[in-house]
Amino acid sequence: MYIENDEKEYEISQLDNKKRTNRSSLKKNGLLHDKILSYGDDTVSNKIIHGENLDVLKLLQEDFSNAFKCVYLDPPYNNGESYLHYLDNMEHEKWLSNLSERLRIIKSLLSEDGSLWLSIDDSEMHYLKVMADSVFGRENFVSTIIWEKRTTRENRKAFSRNHEYVLVYAKNALKWSKIRNTLPLTAEASDRYKNPDHDPRGPWQSVSANVQAGHATLNQFYTIVSPSGVSHYPPKGRCWVYSESKMMEEIKKNNIWFGRNGEGVPRIKKFLSDRKAGLVPETIWKAEIVGTTSDAKKHLLQLFTDTALFDTPKPEELIARILKISTNPGDLVLDAFLGSGTTCAVAHKMNRKYIGIEIGNHIRTHCFSRMKKVVDGEQGGISKDVNWTGGGGFEFFSVDK
Ligand SMILES: C[S@@+](CC[C@H](N)C(=O)[O-])C[C@H]1O[C@@H](n2cnc3c(N)ncnc32)[C@H](O)[C@@H]1O
């Protein structure tokens, strides 16, 4: 699954010598606890684990079956690229079977209302979809999200690939559809609510009062006379959404809008104050909302002034949106391809519990250092959005070979 560029060795000099001599290793289910690389409050049970994810996932099965509410995976995409911290070039069948082995275990680690979010690009997307369908069942495939990962044109290729995908699976799609969160109303969406008639119930927007007539009953076809005396009949192939008696009641309650001059086609008033449900997530995730790869790199540049930049980080906003939809504070999140540590950083700031697994030495140079800064109140990424001021902690483990 992974070939490491081994020039990165952890800088022991960074460590406090006294602490290091006190280092205690604690065997816990085949994992060695590294006290030196653990940081902050150790009662919170967040874990960062250095090792081959297959080994770790198998170890987790003992204590974490049905435990994770959300698993985010951002594996090497097998797109033939060579990155500074890992190579991304494997024989196709091997790449697929390696990932399939991991997905089978991950399914057993997901809670009954849990979900899996898989990042991928064009190179292997369709093969991955078919494979993941076979593990989770086609009925548990939820959606494909398109993430706009760059906003500039890539001129060296036949097409400028400006997007990637996130495949969403649920352990049980029916259960998941009932528990998944909606997204908070954006300023843009709430701006659409106005109050042209000074309704004391506050701002509202209007939606169509006619619907397709496919399943209509006879009492949905009638003439509505507007306050100014204009008659309206539903357009061809459509009927009114309410029966005549219900429509008359709604008109009396001032819930139907006939335009400023009282002559327009009737529409239903929907009030902002009734809008408790939030927004159903859409499948196109724009860069302006969830950030780009380049935004993520800029954030890493602020975090690591003297460490080689990680090539393929995800922006914190992208992961935050995934966690907003799939989890609540206190829920457990897993990332088995941790990279520069984005998922753990976001989960930490959003008050979720987490386990992150990474095979490369950048788990020390990047993940550990990043998470230490997060605990200390780092202010990049989503920090301001979630009013992050620091706190909590994590424990560092490595696989006991
Ligand atoms: C695309 S990067 C993940 C980037 C991450 N989402 C971020 O925001 O920084 C994939 C990571 O998976 C790691 N990896 C690859 N194979 C692995 C394996 N078998 N076990 C654990 N980590 C692995 C690589 O070292 C690399 O850091």
Side-chain angles (χ1 to χ4, degrees), residues 24 28 36 59-60 67 72 98 112 127 137 145 172 174-175 200 220 231 234 267 273 322 325 336 342 389:
S24 78
K28 244 192 202 173
I36 303 306
L59 290 172
L60 293 182
Y72 172 68
N98 280 352
E112 279 307 302
Y127 302 94
I145 289 158
N172 179 326
L174 211 62
K175 281 194 181 148
Q220 285 174 273
S231 296
R267 290 176 67 81
S273 52
I322 292 174
I325 296 169
T342 313
T389 53

Side-chain angles (χ1 to χ4, degrees), residues 2 52-53 74 86 312 314 337-340 342 358-359 362:
Y2 165 87
E52 158 61 57
N53 55 21
D74 183 12
Y86 64 100
T312 55
K314 292 291 183 280
F337 296 90
L338 191 56
S340 65
T342 313
E358 171 56 54
I359 197 170
H362 46 283

Side-chain angles (χ1 to χ4, degrees), residues 10-212:
Y10 182 49
E11 290 288 318
I12 274 179
S13 60
Q14 287 177 343
L15 294 174
D16 174 317
N17 273 340
K18 182 165 171 285
K19 267 192 187 168
R20 191 154 190 93
T21 45
N22 283 342
R23 175 185 171 133
S24 78
S25 288
L26 165 78
K27 256 193 189 172
K28 244 192 202 173
N29 308 331
L31 297 175
L32 287 174
H33 179 230
D34 190 327
K35 218 174 159 187
I36 303 306
L37 296 180
S38 300
Y39 192 69
D41 178 0
D42 62 1
T43 60
V44 285
S45 72
N46 295 320
K47 291 178 183 47
I48 295 179
I49 306 175
H50 186 197
E52 158 61 57
N53 55 21
L54 188 60
D55 297 338
V56 180
L57 291 171
K58 284 179 183 164
L59 290 172
L60 293 182
Q61 276 184 305
E62 204 178 304
D63 290 338
F64 291 91
S65 280
N66 299 314
F68 292 93
K69 194 74 171 285
C70 169
V71 177
Y72 172 68
L73 296 183
D74 183 12
Y77 290 171
N78 211 24
N79 55 14
E81 298 283 344
S82 167
Y83 300 113
L84 185 58
H85 294 92
Y86 64 100
L87 299 180
D88 206 349
N89 196 355
M90 193 176 262
E91 196 271 312
H92 164 73
E93 288 301 330
K94 191 163 168 35
W95 179 87
L96 207 56
S97 69
N98 280 352
L99 206 50
S100 151
E101 202 178 357
R102 286 156 179 81
L103 288 198
R104 282 174 208 286
I105 303 178
I106 281 166
K107 191 179 173 199
S108 74
L109 298 176
L110 274 176
S111 62
E112 279 307 302
D113 55 0
S115 56
L116 166 69
W117 301 67
L118 259 169
S119 274
I120 195 69
D121 73 3
D122 255 350
S123 333
E124 295 279 9
M125 150 74 179
H126 304 88
Y127 302 94
L128 176 62
K129 164 77 169 60
V130 174
M131 181 274 278
D133 276 354
S134 75
V135 177
F136 279 77
R138 283 180 75 172
E139 68 283 9
N140 292 319
F141 167 69
V142 178
S143 202
T144 305
I145 289 158
I146 290 175
W147 167 48
E148 188 186 17
K149 70 165 184 173
R150 63 183 295 155
T151 50
T152 53
R153 196 179 303 273
E154 162 66 282
N155 284 317
R156 289 170 302 169
K157 306 261 169 74
F159 272 90
S160 175
R161 286 186 177 180
N162 285 35
H163 71 276
E164 283 184 8
Y165 306 97
V166 184
L167 290 173
V168 189
Y169 284 86
K171 185 143 165 188
N172 179 326
L174 211 62
K175 281 194 181 148
W176 191 73
S177 67
K178 297 198 176 104
I179 62 101
R180 74 96 179 84
N181 295 320
T182 50
L183 293 168
L185 212 61
T186 58
E188 192 195 348
S190 55
D191 277 355
R192 282 186 227 127
Y193 290 78
K194 309 274 183 226
N195 197 349
D197 59 348
H198 308 290
D199 193 309
R201 293 166 290 182
W204 51 270
Q205 65 174 354
S206 70
V207 298
S208 175
N210 61 67
V211 291
Q212 279 190 359

